[in-house]
Amino acid sequence: DTGVSQNPRHKITKRGQNVTFRCDPISEHNRLYWYRQTLGQGPEFLTYFQNEAQLEKSRLLSDRFSAERPKGSFSTLEIQRTEQGDSAMYLCASSLPGNSHEQYFGPGTRLTVT
Amino acid sequence: DQQVKQNSPSLSVQEGRISILNCDYTNSMFDYFLWYKKYPAEGPTFLISISSIKDKNEDGRFTVFLNKSAKHLSLHIVPSQPGDSAVYFCAASAVGGGADGLTFGKGTHLIIQP
């Protein structure tokens, strides 16, 4: 399978705990995006990497959120001190350098904070 | 404030007929528009796109129409098939594209009736 992969697919955590998600993009894609989707809404942009550089952050990305892409390949999204409002589907997408509009999404990680 | 609006949460169409999904936008800086299809428990899948320099793009059974003066686009599916039943998201990208991520509507749930 050469698509975007995300792990884990589901995560249940207690409020106050830290969680980390991983995204492996399509191998030749140098751009990687994180989105969050809540029930009844479309995906909302969180942040974007070109290779290892984090170039854009949404206002949705509070100080408790941090994303990395250390070698320009896979990326991690960490949420510290989780809150119930963080419960959502976290989606990762990647795109080719010459066609950044067309983003290819992974299956997402569903986070439930209890 | 929603910059991309899909005002129909759901749409039911008989198999074999035409499905028309609508999308309105408010941001004049958007220059590229996309439609994504999403099945339950999967990430969105890219379907078709259109640049703002065009008013129509066709790919098999799928055609996207763009009316820039009305800030409106639509997706036509002809003929509709049972496998088309999914949630369809309209998305837009601003000038410079990709760097800010995509802005999505809330989605329209298309149901194809046999």
Side-chain angles (χ1 to χ4, degrees):
Chain A
D1 187 7
T2 57
V4 177
S5 62
Q6 293 187 246
N7 288 289
R9 294 292 305 274
H10 303 273
K11 179 71 177 178
I12 300 173
T13 191
K14 292 186 177 179
R15 190 175 51 188
Q17 297 294 304
N18 298 345
V19 293
T20 300
F21 311 139
R22 174 175 170 134
C23 170
D24 288 87
I26 295 171
S27 58
E28 63 267 28
H29 288 188
N30 74 333
R31 295 185 179 178
L32 187 149
Y33 306 80
W34 284 99
Y35 291 82
R36 181 180 71 184
Q37 185 179 16
T38 53
L39 198 62
Q41 303 293 319
E44 296 171 292
F45 170 73
L46 293 178
T47 189
Y48 148 69
F49 290 85
Q50 179 163 302
N51 300 314
E52 66 276 6
Q54 188 173 16
L55 298 185
E56 196 75 25
K57 290 185 188 180
S58 160
R59 284 170 293 182
L60 293 175
L61 210 67
S62 77
D63 291 344
R64 295 184 298 106
F65 287 68
S66 64
E68 293 183 345
R69 194 181 182 198
K71 296 181 181 178
S73 57
F74 73 91
S75 175
T76 57
L77 178 68
E78 181 183 14
I79 309 174
Q80 296 182 327
R81 305 181 303 281
T82 52
E83 301 173 356
Q84 286 188 320
D86 296 332
S87 295
M89 175 74 83
Y90 289 85
L91 293 162
C92 175
S94 67
S95 68
L96 284 166
N99 197 4
S100 58
H101 298 285
E102 294 176 12
Q103 298 174 19
Y104 293 83
F105 283 80
T109 295
R110 180 165 295 285
L111 173 66
T112 303
V113 182
T114 62
Chain B
D1 186 32
Q2 281 271 310
Q3 297 186 65
V4 176
K5 300 178 185 178
Q6 294 177 258
N7 292 320
S8 299
S10 67
L11 175 68
S12 184
V13 174
Q14 204 164 15
E15 182 179 355
R17 308 293 275 269
I18 183 171
S19 295
I20 300 176
L21 295 94
N22 293 302
C23 177
D24 297 292
Y25 62 96
T26 58
N27 189 340
S28 300
M29 300 296 282
F30 287 146
D31 65 343
Y32 205 85
F33 303 89
L34 308 93
W35 285 93
Y36 281 82
K37 176 180 179 179
K38 187 180 184 305
Y39 293 119
E42 295 183 11
T45 302
F46 170 72
L47 197 57
I48 192 169
S49 62
I50 187 166
S51 164
S52 61
I53 62 173
K54 295 185 176 180
D55 54 19
K56 177 182 174 181
N57 188 27
E58 192 170 353
D59 183 2
R61 296 187 298 114
F62 303 92
T63 304
V64 56
F65 295 93
L66 175 62
N67 182 336
K68 282 182 292 184
S69 60
K71 292 192 175 68
H72 177 84
L73 63 154
S74 61
L75 174 68
H76 293 212
I77 306 173
V78 182
S80 300
Q81 298 175 354
D84 296 331
S85 294
V87 177
Y88 288 78
F89 290 100
C90 173
S93 178
V95 172
D100 291 335
L102 298 172
T103 301
F104 283 83
K106 292 186 178 183
T108 296
H109 186 193
L110 177 64
I111 301 162
I112 304 301
Q113 305 276 10

